[in-house]
Amino acid sequence: MAKTPSDVPVEPGMPQLDFTTFPNQMFWLFVTIVAIYFVLSKIALPRISAVLSDRQDTIEHDIARAEELKQLAEDAETSYNKALADARIEANNIVNNTKLEMKAELARKIADADLQIADRAKESEQKLNNIKAKAKSSILDVANEIAIDIVSKVSPGHIDEKLIIESVNQKVTE
Amino acid sequence: MAGQTSGAEEGGLVFHPMDQFRVTPLFGDGPVGMFTVTNVTLWMGLTVLCIFLLLVLGTSRRALIPNRIQSIGELAYGFIFKMVEDVSGKDGVKYFPLIMTLFMFIVFSNFLGLLPGAFTTTSHIAVTAVLAMGVFLFVTILGFIKHGFGFLGVFWISSAPLILRPILALIEVISYFVRPLSHSIRLAGNMMAGHAVIKVFAAFAAIAVISPFSVIAITAIYALEVLVAFIQAYVFAILTCVYLKDALHPHH
């Protein structure tokens, strides 16, 4: 539009209705449309379509890969948890077993100790009985001597010692 | 746009809002013949160049992670592809390159036409009429090839009461043949009107008192025109898809 109105003869009306220019416009429009159509259908559109589907494929592939990795991570977590649970159970078992063993050991030891205590008690009882028996005989001896002395002092002469001992024994055992 | 001020120097305001639409030879001053290289040639060539830059050079890296230009190209591709798929159905996808061609041509022509001093090829009824008639003929012939005379079922609305059907058929036939007219005039009219209005406001800028308002008005209209440039290309493409759908599935 470099030309000023004074340079160009001004035609009245709309240039759109100047039919002398129609063949020119139609011709160049035809050329243009054909050119654009070939550029688009032969080069641009297949290329863009390929790029878009490539991208779609890549995204889908990446998502699938991520899914896979996620699955792996989940598997690892489950096996870890399983191992943890197993270890816990084992630890519990060990603790329980140990407890049982210790209980059994304790019971055995207690039983041993009871036996020993019973032995000792028997022994002591025996000793006590011996001492008791000894004491009894010595008491008897002392009593006999005293009785003989008393009898000999009361009635000097013949003393029937056997009789005295007999009667003393009788009295003491009563 | 500088041409307007020289007219104002002579005294009164001189409006030449339609001069921007003149088809003139690029070289010399001869008559405009069929094969003359004109401003139409130049701006259509620039349209092809821009489409080539965007969709071919822009995507030449075939990058998995696109840069900006490639993103825009992919966006345009996805936008039109989805539109064809949604409106025309799965079997319409075969004609996607055609609709993409129409859309890219119109959208780039419209935007290039918004450059100051540019020539807007899509503001000419000769251009849009050829496009619309092309779509009309293509769709009609395709309909008859695909369905034979069954394609006429597009006019016979089987869901309507039987009495109304002949009347509706008449209306449908009329509206069918008006399609290329409305299809082409909508685009050319929108383009022409917006550009002419900008030119008229620009002519008013010759008066010093009015010029600030004139500049503001031009800015506002220009913003509107940017919107219109895209919307009209979109409308043209989506209507083509609708017509294509009628040809592929003529039974309502």
PDB file of all heavy atoms in Angstrom, chain A residues 62-81:
ATOM      1  N   ASP A  62       7.376 -45.389  29.883  1.00  0.00           N
ATOM      2  CA  ASP A  62       7.890 -44.916  31.172  1.00  0.00           C
ATOM      3  C   ASP A  62       6.940 -45.284  32.297  1.00  0.00           C
ATOM      4  O   ASP A  62       7.374 -45.701  33.382  1.00  0.00           O
ATOM      5  CB  ASP A  62       8.091 -43.393  31.134  1.00  0.00           C
ATOM      6  CG  ASP A  62       9.340 -43.027  30.372  1.00  0.00           C
ATOM      7  OD1 ASP A  62      10.008 -43.963  29.894  1.00  0.00           O
ATOM      8  OD2 ASP A  62       9.639 -41.835  30.237  1.00  0.00           O
ATOM      9  N   ILE A  63       5.647 -45.148  32.024  1.00  0.00           N
ATOM     10  CA  ILE A  63       4.671 -45.459  33.067  1.00  0.00           C
ATOM     11  C   ILE A  63       4.729 -46.951  33.396  1.00  0.00           C
ATOM     12  O   ILE A  63       4.714 -47.342  34.567  1.00  0.00           O
ATOM     13  CB  ILE A  63       3.260 -45.030  32.613  1.00  0.00           C
ATOM     14  CG1 ILE A  63       3.140 -43.511  32.691  1.00  0.00           C
ATOM     15  CG2 ILE A  63       2.197 -45.675  33.488  1.00  0.00           C
ATOM     16  CD1 ILE A  63       1.859 -42.977  32.126  1.00  0.00           C
ATOM     17  N   ALA A  64       4.842 -47.771  32.328  1.00  0.00           N
ATOM     18  CA  ALA A  64       4.917 -49.222  32.554  1.00  0.00           C
ATOM     19  C   ALA A  64       6.150 -49.561  33.384  1.00  0.00           C
ATOM     20  O   ALA A  64       6.091 -50.368  34.321  1.00  0.00           O
ATOM     21  CB  ALA A  64       4.963 -49.937  31.208  1.00  0.00           C
ATOM     22  N   ARG A  65       7.273 -48.906  33.032  1.00  0.00           N
ATOM     23  CA  ARG A  65       8.525 -49.148  33.745  1.00  0.00           C
ATOM     24  C   ARG A  65       8.381 -48.747  35.211  1.00  0.00           C
ATOM     25  O   ARG A  65       8.817 -49.466  36.115  1.00  0.00           O
ATOM     26  CB  ARG A  65       9.632 -48.342  33.058  1.00  0.00           C
ATOM     27  CG  ARG A  65      10.994 -48.445  33.658  1.00  0.00           C
ATOM     28  CD  ARG A  65      11.922 -49.300  32.791  1.00  0.00           C
ATOM     29  NE  ARG A  65      13.207 -49.472  33.456  1.00  0.00           N
ATOM     30  CZ  ARG A  65      13.440 -50.443  34.319  1.00  0.00           C
ATOM     31  NH1 ARG A  65      12.512 -51.333  34.594  1.00  0.00           N
ATOM     32  NH2 ARG A  65      14.621 -50.550  34.898  1.00  0.00           N
ATOM     33  N   ALA A  66       7.747 -47.599  35.423  1.00  0.00           N
ATOM     34  CA  ALA A  66       7.540 -47.122  36.792  1.00  0.00           C
ATOM     35  C   ALA A  66       6.678 -48.108  37.565  1.00  0.00           C
ATOM     36  O   ALA A  66       6.944 -48.421  38.728  1.00  0.00           O
ATOM     37  CB  ALA A  66       6.876 -45.749  36.770  1.00  0.00           C
ATOM     38  N   GLU A  67       5.666 -48.638  36.856  1.00  0.00           N
ATOM     39  CA  GLU A  67       4.776 -49.622  37.482  1.00  0.00           C
ATOM     40  C   GLU A  67       5.577 -50.846  37.912  1.00  0.00           C
ATOM     41  O   GLU A  67       5.425 -51.364  39.025  1.00  0.00           O
ATOM     42  CB  GLU A  67       3.724 -50.019  36.443  1.00  0.00           C
ATOM     43  CG  GLU A  67       2.428 -50.530  37.018  1.00  0.00           C
ATOM     44  CD  GLU A  67       1.610 -49.429  37.673  1.00  0.00           C
ATOM     45  OE1 GLU A  67       1.637 -48.272  37.195  1.00  0.00           O
ATOM     46  OE2 GLU A  67       0.970 -49.728  38.679  1.00  0.00           O
ATOM     47  N   GLU A  68       6.459 -51.277  36.989  1.00  0.00           N
ATOM     48  CA  GLU A  68       7.298 -52.441  37.245  1.00  0.00           C
ATOM     49  C   GLU A  68       8.172 -52.217  38.492  1.00  0.00           C
ATOM     50  O   GLU A  68       8.232 -53.051  39.396  1.00  0.00           O
ATOM     51  CB  GLU A  68       8.214 -52.625  36.040  1.00  0.00           C
ATOM     52  CG  GLU A  68       8.424 -54.054  35.587  1.00  0.00           C
ATOM     53  CD  GLU A  68       9.119 -54.041  34.248  1.00  0.00           C
ATOM     54  OE1 GLU A  68      10.348 -53.823  34.246  1.00  0.00           O
ATOM     55  OE2 GLU A  68       8.449 -54.209  33.215  1.00  0.00           O
ATOM     56  N   LEU A  69       8.824 -51.038  38.483  1.00  0.00           N
ATOM     57  CA  LEU A  69       9.712 -50.721  39.609  1.00  0.00           C
ATOM     58  C   LEU A  69       8.939 -50.660  40.913  1.00  0.00           C
ATOM     59  O   LEU A  69       9.403 -51.120  41.954  1.00  0.00           O
ATOM     60  CB  LEU A  69      10.421 -49.387  39.351  1.00  0.00           C
ATOM     61  CG  LEU A  69      11.471 -49.429  38.251  1.00  0.00           C
ATOM     62  CD1 LEU A  69      12.048 -48.053  38.019  1.00  0.00           C
ATOM     63  CD2 LEU A  69      12.588 -50.402  38.611  1.00  0.00           C
ATOM     64  N   LYS A  70       7.733 -50.121  40.822  1.00  0.00           N
ATOM     65  CA  LYS A  70       6.899 -50.017  42.004  1.00  0.00           C
ATOM     66  C   LYS A  70       6.589 -51.412  42.529  1.00  0.00           C
ATOM     67  O   LYS A  70       6.651 -51.677  43.729  1.00  0.00           O
ATOM     68  CB  LYS A  70       5.608 -49.282  41.637  1.00  0.00           C
ATOM     69  CG  LYS A  70       4.826 -48.785  42.822  1.00  0.00           C
ATOM     70  CD  LYS A  70       3.543 -48.144  42.352  1.00  0.00           C
ATOM     71  CE  LYS A  70       2.571 -48.036  43.498  1.00  0.00           C
ATOM     72  NZ  LYS A  70       1.210 -47.872  42.998  1.00  0.00           N
ATOM     73  N   GLN A  71       6.261 -52.310  41.567  1.00  0.00           N
ATOM     74  CA  GLN A  71       5.963 -53.707  41.931  1.00  0.00           C
ATOM     75  C   GLN A  71       7.164 -54.324  42.639  1.00  0.00           C
ATOM     76  O   GLN A  71       7.027 -54.972  43.684  1.00  0.00           O
ATOM     77  CB  GLN A  71       5.628 -54.489  40.648  1.00  0.00           C
ATOM     78  CG  GLN A  71       5.016 -55.860  40.903  1.00  0.00           C
ATOM     79  CD  GLN A  71       3.732 -55.757  41.720  1.00  0.00           C
ATOM     80  OE1 GLN A  71       2.885 -54.920  41.439  1.00  0.00           O
ATOM     81  NE2 GLN A  71       3.617 -56.567  42.746  1.00  0.00           N
ATOM     82  N   LEU A  72       8.354 -54.061  42.044  1.00  0.00           N
ATOM     83  CA  LEU A  72       9.585 -54.590  42.645  1.00  0.00           C
ATOM     84  C   LEU A  72       9.752 -54.090  44.070  1.00  0.00           C
ATOM     85  O   LEU A  72      10.052 -54.865  44.999  1.00  0.00           O
ATOM     86  CB  LEU A  72      10.792 -54.163  41.814  1.00  0.00           C
ATOM     87  CG  LEU A  72      11.136 -55.041  40.617  1.00  0.00           C
ATOM     88  CD1 LEU A  72      12.333 -54.476  39.891  1.00  0.00           C
ATOM     89  CD2 LEU A  72      11.434 -56.461  41.082  1.00  0.00           C
ATOM     90  N   ALA A  73       9.551 -52.793  44.231  1.00  0.00           N
ATOM     91  CA  ALA A  73       9.716 -52.196  45.548  1.00  0.00           C
ATOM     92  C   ALA A  73       8.727 -52.801  46.534  1.00  0.00           C
ATOM     93  O   ALA A  73       9.064 -53.103  47.681  1.00  0.00           O
ATOM     94  CB  ALA A  73       9.513 -50.684  45.460  1.00  0.00           C
ATOM     95  N   GLU A  74       7.493 -53.016  46.031  1.00  0.00           N
ATOM     96  CA  GLU A  74       6.486 -53.601  46.914  1.00  0.00           C
ATOM     97  C   GLU A  74       6.865 -55.020  47.308  1.00  0.00           C
ATOM     98  O   GLU A  74       6.708 -55.421  48.468  1.00  0.00           O
ATOM     99  CB  GLU A  74       5.123 -53.595  46.210  1.00  0.00           C
ATOM    100  CG  GLU A  74       4.352 -52.312  46.482  1.00  0.00           C
ATOM    101  CD  GLU A  74       3.117 -52.180  45.617  1.00  0.00           C
ATOM    102  OE1 GLU A  74       2.760 -53.159  44.936  1.00  0.00           O
ATOM    103  OE2 GLU A  74       2.535 -51.088  45.632  1.00  0.00           O
ATOM    104  N   ASP A  75       7.363 -55.771  46.314  1.00  0.00           N
ATOM    105  CA  ASP A  75       7.801 -57.141  46.601  1.00  0.00           C
ATOM    106  C   ASP A  75       8.894 -57.142  47.662  1.00  0.00           C
ATOM    107  O   ASP A  75       8.861 -57.926  48.609  1.00  0.00           O
ATOM    108  CB  ASP A  75       8.337 -57.806  45.326  1.00  0.00           C
ATOM    109  CG  ASP A  75       7.201 -58.158  44.388  1.00  0.00           C
ATOM    110  OD1 ASP A  75       6.039 -57.979  44.802  1.00  0.00           O
ATOM    111  OD2 ASP A  75       7.488 -58.581  43.262  1.00  0.00           O
ATOM    112  N   ALA A  76       9.857 -56.234  47.462  1.00  0.00           N
ATOM    113  CA  ALA A  76      10.963 -56.143  48.408  1.00  0.00           C
ATOM    114  C   ALA A  76      10.443 -55.831  49.803  1.00  0.00           C
ATOM    115  O   ALA A  76      10.879 -56.419  50.798  1.00  0.00           O
ATOM    116  CB  ALA A  76      11.939 -55.065  47.955  1.00  0.00           C
ATOM    117  N   GLU A  77       9.462 -54.940  49.844  1.00  0.00           N
ATOM    118  CA  GLU A  77       8.919 -54.557  51.141  1.00  0.00           C
ATOM    119  C   GLU A  77       8.233 -55.748  51.807  1.00  0.00           C
ATOM    120  O   GLU A  77       8.422 -55.996  52.998  1.00  0.00           O
ATOM    121  CB  GLU A  77       7.917 -53.417  50.956  1.00  0.00           C
ATOM    122  CG  GLU A  77       7.722 -52.626  52.244  1.00  0.00           C
ATOM    123  CD  GLU A  77       6.518 -51.720  52.173  1.00  0.00           C
ATOM    124  OE1 GLU A  77       6.048 -51.449  51.055  1.00  0.00           O
ATOM    125  OE2 GLU A  77       6.055 -51.306  53.236  1.00  0.00           O
ATOM    126  N   THR A  78       7.441 -56.500  50.993  1.00  0.00           N
ATOM    127  CA  THR A  78       6.753 -57.660  51.581  1.00  0.00           C
ATOM    128  C   THR A  78       7.761 -58.672  52.085  1.00  0.00           C
ATOM    129  O   THR A  78       7.582 -59.215  53.188  1.00  0.00           O
ATOM    130  CB  THR A  78       5.821 -58.347  50.553  1.00  0.00           C
ATOM    131  OG1 THR A  78       6.158 -57.902  49.267  1.00  0.00           O
ATOM    132  CG2 THR A  78       4.384 -58.097  50.839  1.00  0.00           C
ATOM    133  N   SER A  79       8.793 -58.931  51.289  1.00  0.00           N
ATOM    134  CA  SER A  79       9.753 -59.950  51.733  1.00  0.00           C
ATOM    135  C   SER A  79      10.492 -59.460  52.975  1.00  0.00           C
ATOM    136  O   SER A  79      10.766 -60.242  53.883  1.00  0.00           O
ATOM    137  CB  SER A  79      10.727 -60.294  50.604  1.00  0.00           C
ATOM    138  OG  SER A  79      11.479 -59.178  50.264  1.00  0.00           O
ATOM    139  N   TYR A  80      10.767 -58.162  53.004  1.00  0.00           N
ATOM    140  CA  TYR A  80      11.420 -57.588  54.189  1.00  0.00           C
ATOM    141  C   TYR A  80      10.540 -57.770  55.419  1.00  0.00           C
ATOM    142  O   TYR A  80      10.990 -58.233  56.483  1.00  0.00           O
ATOM    143  CB  TYR A  80      11.712 -56.112  53.933  1.00  0.00           C
ATOM    144  CG  TYR A  80      12.060 -55.322  55.166  1.00  0.00           C
ATOM    145  CD1 TYR A  80      13.333 -55.431  55.737  1.00  0.00           C
ATOM    146  CD2 TYR A  80      11.135 -54.477  55.766  1.00  0.00           C
ATOM    147  CE1 TYR A  80      13.655 -54.725  56.867  1.00  0.00           C
ATOM    148  CE2 TYR A  80      11.445 -53.766  56.889  1.00  0.00           C
ATOM    149  CZ  TYR A  80      12.705 -53.893  57.452  1.00  0.00           C
ATOM    150  OH  TYR A  80      13.016 -53.195  58.570  1.00  0.00           O
ATOM    151  N   ASN A  81       9.236 -57.429  55.220  1.00  0.00           N
ATOM    152  CA  ASN A  81       8.311 -57.566  56.345  1.00  0.00           C
ATOM    153  C   ASN A  81       8.203 -59.013  56.793  1.00  0.00           C
ATOM    154  O   ASN A  81       8.135 -59.302  57.986  1.00  0.00           O
ATOM    155  CB  ASN A  81       6.923 -57.051  55.943  1.00  0.00           C
ATOM    156  CG  ASN A  81       6.863 -55.542  56.012  1.00  0.00           C
ATOM    157  OD1 ASN A  81       7.693 -54.922  56.674  1.00  0.00           O
ATOM    158  ND2 ASN A  81       5.921 -54.958  55.318  1.00  0.00           N
TER     159      ASN A  81
END
